[in-house]
Amino acid sequence: MKLLEMQGIVKRFGGVEILHGVDFELGKGEVHALIGENGAGKSTLIKVLAGVHEANAGEVCLEGQRVSFKNPKEALTHGISTIHQEFNLVPYLDVASNIFLGREYKNAMGIIKKEEIYRRTQILLERIGAEFAPDAMVASLGVAEKQMVEICKAMSLKAKIVIMDEPTAVLSEKEIEKLFAIIRKIKQEGVSLIYISHRLDELLQIADKVTVLRDGEVVGGLEKHQLSKDVMTTMMIGRELSEQFPKTDKTVGEVVLDVRGITSGKHVKDVSFVLHKGEILGFSGLVGAGRTELMRAVMGIDRPECGQVYLDGKEIRCRSALEAKKEGIVLIPEERKTEGLVLSMSIEDNIALTYEAAFSFMGVLSKRKLEENAEDIIEKLTIKPADRKKKALNLSGGNQQKIVIGKWIYKNHKVLVFDEPTRGVDVGAKAEIYKVMADLAGKGIGIIMVSSDLPEIIGMSDRVIVMKEGKVSGELKREELEEDRIMRYAF
């Protein structure tokens, strides 16, 4: 008997049908991966299971019994726990308080039994091999440790099914190995996992089965022995992806950006580098190495303590992202939802935000220019749905990322900084973003790409700078780019 069976799941929003009779099943102690392009329906299916959405048709059976959840709390009481990509933790409470929030052990007088909560938390932490204490503040933990807290929370709820949404998106290779060890451990204890990821290489290591969604329908399933990256890619996008990383005949020109001795806070220590026109310069390193902080200091978002920045041979002193933009340096940020978009605004309005003056005359916006620009960007970047009035909030992660990029390609800049440009983006959208980056470099624009994805760093970069603990630990030319060499510098 299957632990979970979802049959004929249909979900509509307004008059639009998102899921068209989806079937999905999960065995006990199984890791079943759910993959598909952004907008394929993965999140909607999971939200139906977790009680966030109610299906319009179909049924869900758990351990042979038909169930229907009106809200996430009901799903939790039945043993279904979701670990979202954006963690649901209270930063300024300790680990134990987060794990048992709302379910605290109390004495007869209603006073919280702190010792009991710490004792139980310690058991959970030891169970998954965590090395931090129950009284550690969550705000002081790294991303991987916060994820462990979420896993402990699920274990404390005696979860039968744990849903993991892009669990390795911002983890280093070493942290991913540790996460996989935890998954294998809880799997041996009979816990089942639904694993959502765009990193297809991982699935070869961790998945027992894979189900592929495309446009709200199941297009097929694969057993462990059938898994290959090429097969999964073809099933996801409906065609063979012959060339993920575009090949270009470009010429790398003279130095456009010269950074000398930048020091900023505790994360950036005396860093120097140069960027050439038409070059894609990759920045690699472990999470916390200081790559993002370096870019913020170069642009003046964070004020560096010392150092100089030269653009086209002229020293610039930017004190904000706006001043950097005026000089010709712009940032596509890592956190697209909080730093790259106004989620309540439409595709058209988000794209227009950066250059409203270019679409106006005497302070009056030209509706025609706004519409034409939005339609042009939507077509260039294959944004779906191709509706300029659609709110950014209602788009998939990959299409949101395309809007963030689209805001900056209306004008040619001197330097574009892409910080984790394909985080949480499916393989088809990745190829489209890579093509945009290559086209921009082909026009002579200098591209800086900060990425934790080693295949991406190797496939796209003309040169790579590796950072460790706020300093440059190595620099590699294109012909020297190999994963083990980059990781040696990172460690």
Side-chain angles (χ1 to χ4, degrees), residues 192-327:
S192 302
L193 293 101
I194 299 174
Y195 191 96
I196 301 171
S197 179
H198 291 305
R199 293 185 171 185
L200 303 184
D201 292 328
E202 304 177 343
L203 305 185
L204 306 178
Q205 300 177 57
I206 202 68
D208 298 307
K209 289 183 181 177
V210 170
T211 290
V212 186
L213 286 178
R214 188 168 73 233
D215 297 329
E217 296 180 323
V218 173
V219 294
L222 299 166
E223 299 290 334
K224 191 172 186 67
H225 68 276
Q226 299 172 309
L227 297 182
S228 82
K229 191 173 178 181
D230 288 344
V231 170
M232 288 187 283
T233 299
T234 302
M235 290 176 72
M236 281 172 61
I237 65 177
R239 65 186 189 279
E240 289 189 19
L241 197 62
S242 56
E243 192 63 61
Q244 185 176 21
F245 301 112
K247 292 176 181 175
T248 56
D249 295 322
K250 61 177 180 173
T251 302
V252 174
E254 61 194 27
V255 171
V256 62
L257 183 70
D258 185 354
V259 175
R260 303 179 188 176
I262 289 285
T263 295
S264 177
K266 63 181 181 180
H267 295 293
V268 182
K269 305 165 187 174
D270 191 27
V271 175
S272 301
F273 69 91
V274 296
L275 170 72
H276 297 83
K277 292 179 180 179
E279 180 183 35
I280 298 179
L281 174 62
F283 271 80
S284 189
L286 304 179
V287 174
R291 298 164 300 166
T292 296
E293 291 82 0
L294 171 62
M295 300 309 150
R296 290 174 63 90
V298 168
M299 296 186 66
I301 300 170
D302 296 333
R303 195 72 57 85
E305 280 96 68
C306 61
Q308 297 84 40
V309 177
Y310 295 86
L311 190 66
D312 282 335
K314 172 192 167 187
E315 185 174 4
I316 59 171
R317 293 184 179 274
C318 301
R319 291 169 293 180
S320 67
L322 183 61
E323 289 189 12
K325 171 191 161 188
K326 288 176 181 176
E327 295 287 356

Side-chain angles (χ1 to χ4, degrees), residues 366-398:
S366 166
K367 187 178 178 183
R368 180 182 59 80
K369 283 186 178 180
L370 284 173
E371 290 173 355
E372 287 177 355
N373 177 62
E375 296 288 357
D376 183 48
I377 297 298
I378 286 169
E379 184 179 349
K380 276 182 182 175
L381 298 182
T382 327
I383 296 172
K384 299 175 185 176
D387 176 3
R388 53 187 166 78
K389 296 296 183 184
K390 192 84 171 175
K391 286 187 178 181
L393 178 69
N394 298 322
L395 300 179
S396 65

Side-chain angles (χ1 to χ4, degrees), residues 7-37:
Q7 297 178 336
I9 301 297
V10 174
K11 181 59 190 173
R12 304 184 195 93
F13 293 101
V16 181
E17 189 168 286
I18 305 299
L19 298 177
H20 318 297
V22 172
D23 295 339
F24 180 83
E25 58 183 38
L26 179 69
K28 188 173 182 179
E30 177 179 270
V31 178
H32 195 144
L34 187 62
I35 64 171
E37 291 190 274

